[in-house]
Amino acid sequence: MVFEGLPLVDAVPTGMPTPDGVIAALVLVVKPDVDQTEVDDFVARYRLIPRGQTARAVDSQARWTLERDGRVTIQLLCPDSAARIVIPSDPRIHQWTNLARYGGGSLSLIIAPGLPETELKTIGYHLGPYGGPYWHISVGCIPL
C-alpha cells in the first residue's frame, strides 16, 4: 500500500457490523512510535470525528475510486493539503469494494491509535463499545 500525507499506519480493510447491516471499513492502525500530536493534527486537518458521532460522506472531502487497473485510491482533501492511500489490486480488495457499493457506495475510514497489533480480534475489541478512542470519516465513491 501507498500512504501519502498520513501518520505511520498499517491499513486493515474489513467489514463492520452496524444496526443497518455490515459496512466496508478501512482501519488505519497507528504505529506505536507515532506521537499523538501527529494523529491529532491529521484528525483535525481532514475533519475526522470521534467515536460516537455519525460520519456522513456528504459532509466530508474524502472520496474513493476503484481504478481501471483494479487499485483502490482513497483521497482526503482540505484547503491546504491532501492525503492519499493506494491499495493494490487484489480479488479480496474487489470483494471489499463490492461490500462498500452494496452499502450505498461509502466506506468508513477509521484511524485508531494505541493498538498493539493489527489482528481483527484486537481491532474489533478496540472499536467495540468498551474499546479505545478512534476517529472516522465516511468516504464516498467516485465511479469511473
Side-chain angles (χ1 to χ4, degrees), residues 52-112:
Q53 295 183 19
T54 301
R56 299 179 334 140
V58 70
D59 296 331
S60 79
Q61 292 296 313
R63 300 292 178 258
W64 71 272
T65 303
L66 178 60
E67 307 290 346
R68 296 194 194 303
D69 64 2
R71 293 175 299 139
V72 174
T73 302
I74 299 170
Q75 296 181 332
L76 295 96
L77 303 174
C78 73
D80 60 347
S81 67
R84 183 171 75 124
I85 302 167
V86 179
I87 304 171
S89 180
D90 182 282
R92 294 168 297 180
I93 292 300
H94 299 161
Q95 291 173 342
W96 179 72
T97 59
N98 287 338
L99 176 62
R101 287 182 173 165
Y102 179 75
S106 296
L107 61 89
S108 183
L109 181 70
I110 299 167
I111 187 163

Side-chain angles (χ1 to χ4, degrees), residues 112-127:
L115 277 75
E117 60 189 12
T118 59
E119 296 296 320
L120 287 176
K121 185 175 181 179
T122 302
I123 290 170
Y125 178 77
H126 188 83
L127 301 180

